[in-house]
Amino acid sequence: TIDFYYLPGSAPCRAVLMAAKAVGVELNLKLVDLMSGEQLKPEFLKINPQHTIPTLVDGDLSLWESRAIIAYLVEKYGKTDSLYPKDAAKRALVNQRMYFDMGTLYDRFATYYYPQIFAKAPANPENFKKMEEAVGFLNTFLEGQTYAAGDSLTLADITLVATISSYDLAGFDLSKYPNVAKWYSNCKATVPGYDINEAGLAEFKKFFS
Ligand code: GSH
């Protein structure tokens, strides 16, 4: 069995759940209650000293960082390489989009919204502009493209849609970014396990009210 430590509302956890579905691999789900600090308990720190979810345990391997996890799932259990192509140039593009998602798109979402949600801090307009710039970059990458990297569904789409659906849930207006809006509705219809993302978003939503 592959143990998967997660919370349904967490964006990086939602990305792993969708990727597992797309690969066709079963995960043994283990909830980690961040609100009560379960991730800081010695048992969990033994598994992941960085105390983040998602965390996956497959035999001797303990792995965290959602994008590292989803790449592993395809490489180890994928029947084909289509979600994470072996071709160097194709894979490079998927990696670029995944790093963009982690370092820019999701990071700017968290920088703007999380102080407001978790610390009741006032909104910072400079950080809002940064978020708009990031979604603008994605809109440019998607010009003339159906998918985020190359011409079929990859891990880039899965991780990016976990983030963009979080923007949508937070009330960020995606209609100003037509390529993003079109790609997002296509993802909703075609990404395997998108219903799991929707269910997770419903949990995440509780923090926004
Ligand atoms: N870049 C990481 C990934 O993509 O997996 C982010 C992981 C992360 O920050 N997870 C949050 C967490 O576990 C929840 S969404 N926070 C609890 C903690 O850091 O103690």
Side-chain angles (χ1 to χ4, degrees):
T1 59
I2 306 172
D3 288 336
F4 182 56
Y5 296 85
Y6 84 117
L7 258 190
S10 147
C13 294
R14 286 186 266 118
V16 176
L17 292 167
M18 286 187 278
K21 195 85 182 179
V23 170
V25 69
E26 188 116 1
L27 302 176
N28 180 34
L29 301 178
K30 289 175 170 279
L31 282 172
V32 179
D33 181 11
L34 298 182
M35 292 305 134
S36 73
E38 209 181 333
Q39 80 279 22
L40 302 172
K41 289 191 177 155
E43 306 89 87
F44 191 74
L45 291 174
K46 257 187 248 159
I47 298 169
N48 174 357
Q50 199 183 329
H51 54 79
T52 51
I53 52 163
T55 293
L56 182 119
V57 179
D58 188 7
D60 290 337
L61 177 70
S62 180
L63 187 64
W64 53 97
E65 282 302 338
S66 56
R67 296 157 194 87
I69 293 171
I70 63 183
Y72 170 76
L73 290 178
V74 176
E75 296 208 283
K76 173 105 190 194
Y77 298 105
K79 287 173 196 78
T80 74
D81 72 345
S82 74
L83 289 168
Y84 196 47
K86 288 196 167 66
D87 175 84
K90 287 182 181 168
R91 176 164 293 196
L93 210 57
V94 175
N95 285 335
Q96 183 270 318
R97 302 309 198 227
M98 292 205 294
Y99 290 132
F100 165 76
D101 180 47
M102 177 175 166
T104 304
L105 192 67
Y106 186 76
D107 184 66
R108 291 182 185 188
F109 173 84
T111 301
Y112 179 70
Y113 284 111
Y114 289 175
Q116 297 177 59
I117 300 173
F118 298 112
K120 304 282 168 232
N124 178 332
E126 281 308 309
N127 290 340
F128 188 79
K129 278 190 210 142
K130 285 275 188 195
M131 244 180 11
E132 290 187 305
E133 184 191 44
V135 181
F137 289 143
L138 180 61
N139 197 64
T140 304
F141 305 161
L142 288 166
E143 185 66 41
Q145 298 288 316
T146 305
Y147 297 98
D151 48 22
S152 60
L153 184 84
T154 66
L155 294 180
D157 297 288
I158 291 175
T159 182
L160 284 163
V161 82
T163 300
I164 281 296
S165 59
S166 306
Y167 272 79
D168 184 25
L169 179 97
F172 185 93
D173 183 8
L174 294 168
S175 68
K176 289 186 236 159
Y177 307 86
N179 298 333
V180 174
K182 196 170 157 213
W183 163 85
Y184 178 39
S185 59
N186 185 47
C187 283
K188 285 186 189 175
T190 60
V191 170
Y194 194 80
D195 55 319
I196 309 170
N197 191 53
E198 293 274 23
L201 284 165
E203 292 298 313
F204 190 45
K205 191 174 180 164
K206 292 173 186 164
F207 295 107
F208 284 88
S209 47

